Amino acid sequence: MSAQVSSNRAFFNQLKKYYTWYTGGFIAFIIVLAILEQLGLPRVWIGYVFLFATIGLYAGIGIMSRTADVAEYYVAGRRVPAIFNGMATGADWMSAASFIGMAGTLYLTGFDGLAFVLGWTGGYCLVAFLLAPYLRKFGQFTIPDFLGARYGGNIARTIGIVGAILCSFTYVVAQIYGVGIIVSRFVGVDFGIGVFLGLAGILVCSFLGGMRAVTWTQVAQYIILIIAYMIPVVWLSVKQTGVPIPQLVYGSVLQKVEKRGDELRSDPKEKEVREIFKSRADEAKARVAALPGSWQEGRAAAEKKVADLTAANAPIAEINAAKKAVDDFPKSADEAKTRWSGDVTKNSARTGAPAPHSTPFPSANPDAAKNAAERNTKRLNFLALVFSLMLGTAALPHILMRYYTTPSVSQARKSVFWSLFFIFLLYFTAPSLAVLVKYEVYNNVVGTAFSSLPAWISSWAKVDPTLMAVADINKDGIVQLAEIVLGGDIIVLATPEIAGLPYVISGMVAAGGLAAALSTADGLLLTIANALSHDMYYKMINPNASTQKRVLISKILLLFVALFAAWVTSLKPGNILFLVGAAFSMAASVFFPALVLGVFWKRANKWGAIAGMVGGLGMCLYYMVHTYPQFIAWFGTTKMDLWFGIAPISAAVFGAPFGMLVLMIVSMLTPAPDKQVQEFVEHVRYPYLAGDTVETMAR
């Protein structure tokens, strides 16, 4: 054991030296690029340099870490020190949703957005206390491995495989979507091409070296993403307050934002714009109510206009515009209903005054009873989202797999602490960034003449008009807040331009966002491939497969899954934050009851686990596909009313308790597990038991 400890210490010191040099090299790289920008290096070249330099770096780590050894490929040889596993987990966790979407969510929703901070960080407390050390004591490679050993047979393992693939695939689509946004903005290629360019960066790591390559790449990615996140926020803080620690000035800037928000809520021009949107929503609502007649009349009027202009020999430009209006008009009454209903939703969303940023569960409804009901619904959704994210965090397979890579149970516990610390660095900064950007928009964009808009607005509007758009609705030539469409997904990426920083910092932030998305995508794709190659092929189909064949099959499956995920992403299936939240709800519903009760309740048995996992996941999916508009459109399901007003992103609030209840009831109604399974539970739950060997305790 002393030789092993000495070897681990030497390995740790070697890693510290490597990553210290790496961090210094990255900072020097930024400084050199900044100098070159001042000397005239074009912006597009800066974008290309960041893209290919970082992907090349990750590829280099992947090539150096390539392996065909099973333990190295699946669990990095179980020799990742706690602090480095914490950094890797932080990068694995710091997905596009956290890096790109967290500050944007807080910008858009204020207090309500704190549900994500509370849910995601609180979930790690559940990981530390309920799962990580016990799964590490179990050993093996995957979550379906644990389910198969704890509940016996292949049925529970198969459900675990399906659940892992479903959760991970939904999550990875969100990451690749973030990659597409970043690459298309900073390299100037089409979104679809950006998706497949980013995919190359994902594959070079996970494809070559599995968990070994992914781990050391994720440590490198964490260093890039945390530097990239912090520098613009510090600069923006200095610009607005003169203080370089944004967390210290958060309160004072928030007060200014609230004061300015009060002014905008009572501004006559703002009210005028909101009334225009209200009239548009009412008009669209009336057209929907009058279908199919309104569609027939509208199409006839558009065609008549073309005929009248043609007969009057009107200018060709006017005739072409009229023909285009006919071409763009809905082709059927059903299409008209879908489009006009969307117009109702879109315009109605812009009729309300800006909500106070720091007010919990705000409602502007003048009717006291409706105001109270709306606030109660928001409060319920806040708590439901915290619940879903906490349980989902504690059940995500790609996160739990990381604790198989540590040298011992105690290192698994310590790595949870380090994971929380490294995640905290970003989460503690995100609320400050949201407030600083909101202050900038309220004071330096609102009230500006359209002819003098900052350059960052037009540059982002070209990327995606649904993320950034400004239109002069009331034709007064001045920007009102209600005339701005600002998607949360661009807040972080646009911060350097908003702060007036050199473009090289924008490239650095893009590299950070890319690192966040790639690191999570690596872990997710590896989870899917491992579920198929290790849990399904090796454990269920061909137990005699050689180690080389198992690793080869994992790599082939990883490639096919990645290409399919990229294709799905190119269809833009939904916003990043919802896709991530959906993955968490599914993980909480299918895995959390079976894992926690599997560790802490000996009476939980095979049939209870099978029924609980199927029931929990089924309940979660049923609720989402009947309430989330994009899923309803995809699957052709019937839209139903929300239960208790709970948003579909929090479907785990129904799925997880239902799954746990079913698991407990079925377990009590069927025979108890045999003695071997109960001894297995004892072994997993206690770090050291009489009869455990030195090798067992080291695991």
Short mmCIF file of all heavy atoms in Angstrom, two decimals, residues 494-521:
data_model
loop_
_atom_site.label_atom_id
_atom_site.label_comp_id
_atom_site.label_asym_id
_atom_site.label_seq_id
_atom_site.Cartn_x
_atom_site.Cartn_y
_atom_site.Cartn_z
N ALA A 494 -21.68 37.60 -25.54
CA ALA A 494 -21.62 38.99 -25.99
C ALA A 494 -21.00 39.93 -24.96
O ALA A 494 -20.75 41.10 -25.27
CB ALA A 494 -23.04 39.47 -26.33
N THR A 495 -20.75 39.45 -23.74
CA THR A 495 -20.25 40.32 -22.68
C THR A 495 -18.97 41.08 -23.05
O THR A 495 -18.86 42.28 -22.78
CB THR A 495 -20.03 39.52 -21.38
OG1 THR A 495 -21.29 39.04 -20.92
CG2 THR A 495 -19.42 40.39 -20.29
N PRO A 496 -17.96 40.43 -23.67
CA PRO A 496 -16.76 41.20 -24.03
C PRO A 496 -17.06 42.38 -24.96
O PRO A 496 -16.49 43.46 -24.78
CB PRO A 496 -15.88 40.16 -24.72
CG PRO A 496 -16.32 38.86 -24.18
CD PRO A 496 -17.80 39.00 -23.98
N GLU A 497 -17.94 42.18 -25.94
CA GLU A 497 -18.31 43.27 -26.85
C GLU A 497 -19.12 44.33 -26.12
O GLU A 497 -18.94 45.53 -26.36
CB GLU A 497 -19.10 42.71 -28.03
CG GLU A 497 -18.28 41.77 -28.91
CD GLU A 497 -19.16 40.98 -29.86
OE1 GLU A 497 -19.44 41.47 -30.96
OE2 GLU A 497 -19.55 39.85 -29.50
N ILE A 498 -20.00 43.89 -25.22
CA ILE A 498 -20.78 44.85 -24.44
C ILE A 498 -19.86 45.71 -23.58
O ILE A 498 -20.07 46.91 -23.41
CB ILE A 498 -21.81 44.11 -23.56
CG1 ILE A 498 -22.85 43.40 -24.43
CG2 ILE A 498 -22.51 45.06 -22.60
CD1 ILE A 498 -23.78 42.48 -23.65
N ALA A 499 -18.82 45.08 -23.04
CA ALA A 499 -17.89 45.79 -22.15
C ALA A 499 -16.85 46.61 -22.91
O ALA A 499 -16.05 47.32 -22.30
CB ALA A 499 -17.18 44.78 -21.25
N GLY A 500 -16.84 46.48 -24.25
CA GLY A 500 -15.88 47.24 -25.03
C GLY A 500 -14.48 46.65 -25.00
O GLY A 500 -13.49 47.37 -25.21
N LEU A 501 -14.37 45.36 -24.76
CA LEU A 501 -13.07 44.71 -24.70
C LEU A 501 -12.56 44.39 -26.11
O LEU A 501 -13.35 44.31 -27.06
CB LEU A 501 -13.17 43.42 -23.89
CG LEU A 501 -13.24 43.58 -22.37
CD1 LEU A 501 -13.74 42.29 -21.73
CD2 LEU A 501 -11.89 43.96 -21.80
N PRO A 502 -11.26 44.18 -26.26
CA PRO A 502 -10.72 43.77 -27.56
C PRO A 502 -11.37 42.47 -28.03
O PRO A 502 -11.80 41.64 -27.22
CB PRO A 502 -9.22 43.56 -27.27
CG PRO A 502 -8.95 44.36 -26.05
CD PRO A 502 -10.20 44.35 -25.24
N TYR A 503 -11.40 42.29 -29.33
CA TYR A 503 -12.09 41.13 -29.88
C TYR A 503 -11.44 39.82 -29.44
O TYR A 503 -12.10 38.78 -29.38
CB TYR A 503 -12.12 41.20 -31.41
CG TYR A 503 -12.96 40.12 -32.04
CD1 TYR A 503 -14.36 40.24 -32.05
CD2 TYR A 503 -12.40 38.98 -32.58
CE1 TYR A 503 -15.15 39.24 -32.59
CE2 TYR A 503 -13.18 37.99 -33.14
CZ TYR A 503 -14.56 38.12 -33.14
OH TYR A 503 -15.34 37.13 -33.68
N VAL A 504 -10.15 39.86 -29.10
CA VAL A 504 -9.47 38.64 -28.67
C VAL A 504 -10.13 38.07 -27.42
O VAL A 504 -10.17 36.85 -27.24
CB VAL A 504 -7.97 38.92 -28.44
CG1 VAL A 504 -7.74 39.82 -27.22
CG2 VAL A 504 -7.20 37.60 -28.24
N ILE A 505 -10.69 38.93 -26.58
CA ILE A 505 -11.39 38.44 -25.38
C ILE A 505 -12.70 37.75 -25.78
O ILE A 505 -13.10 36.76 -25.16
CB ILE A 505 -11.64 39.59 -24.39
CG1 ILE A 505 -10.32 40.28 -24.02
CG2 ILE A 505 -12.32 39.07 -23.13
CD1 ILE A 505 -9.30 39.36 -23.37
N SER A 506 -13.35 38.28 -26.83
CA SER A 506 -14.54 37.60 -27.32
C SER A 506 -14.19 36.20 -27.81
O SER A 506 -14.92 35.23 -27.57
CB SER A 506 -15.17 38.40 -28.47
OG SER A 506 -15.64 39.65 -28.03
N GLY A 507 -13.06 36.10 -28.51
CA GLY A 507 -12.61 34.79 -28.96
C GLY A 507 -12.30 33.87 -27.80
O GLY A 507 -12.59 32.67 -27.83
N MET A 508 -11.72 34.44 -26.74
CA MET A 508 -11.40 33.64 -25.56
C MET A 508 -12.67 33.12 -24.89
O MET A 508 -12.74 31.96 -24.46
CB MET A 508 -10.58 34.47 -24.57
CG MET A 508 -10.16 33.70 -23.33
SD MET A 508 -9.35 34.75 -22.11
CE MET A 508 -10.75 35.76 -21.59
N VAL A 509 -13.68 33.98 -24.79
CA VAL A 509 -14.95 33.57 -24.19
C VAL A 509 -15.61 32.48 -25.05
O VAL A 509 -16.16 31.50 -24.52
CB VAL A 509 -15.89 34.77 -24.00
CG1 VAL A 509 -17.28 34.31 -23.58
CG2 VAL A 509 -15.32 35.73 -22.96
N ALA A 510 -15.53 32.65 -26.36
CA ALA A 510 -16.05 31.61 -27.25
C ALA A 510 -15.32 30.29 -27.02
O ALA A 510 -15.93 29.22 -26.99
CB ALA A 510 -15.92 32.04 -28.71
N ALA A 511 -14.00 30.38 -26.83
CA ALA A 511 -13.22 29.17 -26.55
C ALA A 511 -13.65 28.56 -25.22
O ALA A 511 -13.70 27.33 -25.08
CB ALA A 511 -11.73 29.50 -26.51
N GLY A 512 -13.98 29.40 -24.23
CA GLY A 512 -14.46 28.90 -22.94
C GLY A 512 -15.81 28.22 -23.09
O GLY A 512 -16.03 27.14 -22.52
N GLY A 513 -16.72 28.85 -23.84
CA GLY A 513 -18.01 28.23 -24.07
C GLY A 513 -17.88 26.92 -24.83
O GLY A 513 -18.58 25.94 -24.55
N LEU A 514 -16.96 26.92 -25.80
CA LEU A 514 -16.71 25.70 -26.56
C LEU A 514 -16.16 24.61 -25.65
O LEU A 514 -16.56 23.45 -25.73
CB LEU A 514 -15.72 26.01 -27.69
CG LEU A 514 -15.58 24.97 -28.80
CD1 LEU A 514 -16.90 24.79 -29.54
CD2 LEU A 514 -14.48 25.38 -29.76
N ALA A 515 -15.25 25.00 -24.75
CA ALA A 515 -14.68 24.03 -23.81
C ALA A 515 -15.77 23.45 -22.91
O ALA A 515 -15.80 22.24 -22.65
CB ALA A 515 -13.60 24.70 -22.96
N ALA A 516 -16.68 24.32 -22.44
CA ALA A 516 -17.77 23.85 -21.58
C ALA A 516 -18.67 22.86 -22.31
O ALA A 516 -19.03 21.80 -21.77
CB ALA A 516 -18.58 25.04 -21.08
N ALA A 517 -19.03 23.22 -23.55
CA ALA A 517 -19.92 22.34 -24.31
C ALA A 517 -19.23 21.04 -24.70
O ALA A 517 -19.81 19.95 -24.59
CB ALA A 517 -20.41 23.08 -25.56
N LEU A 518 -17.97 21.14 -25.15
CA LEU A 518 -17.24 19.94 -25.58
C LEU A 518 -16.98 19.00 -24.42
O LEU A 518 -17.08 17.77 -24.57
CB LEU A 518 -15.92 20.33 -26.24
CG LEU A 518 -16.00 21.11 -27.57
CD1 LEU A 518 -14.60 21.39 -28.09
CD2 LEU A 518 -16.80 20.35 -28.60
N SER A 519 -16.62 19.56 -23.26
CA SER A 519 -16.29 18.71 -22.12
C SER A 519 -17.50 17.88 -21.69
O SER A 519 -17.39 16.68 -21.41
CB SER A 519 -15.78 19.55 -20.95
OG SER A 519 -16.77 20.47 -20.51
N THR A 520 -18.66 18.52 -21.65
CA THR A 520 -19.87 17.79 -21.26
C THR A 520 -20.28 16.81 -22.35
O THR A 520 -20.67 15.67 -22.06
CB THR A 520 -21.02 18.77 -20.99
OG1 THR A 520 -20.60 19.71 -20.01
CG2 THR A 520 -22.25 18.05 -20.49
N ALA A 521 -20.18 17.24 -23.61
CA ALA A 521 -20.54 16.35 -24.72
C ALA A 521 -19.64 15.11 -24.74
O ALA A 521 -20.11 14.00 -25.02
CB ALA A 521 -20.44 17.10 -26.04
#
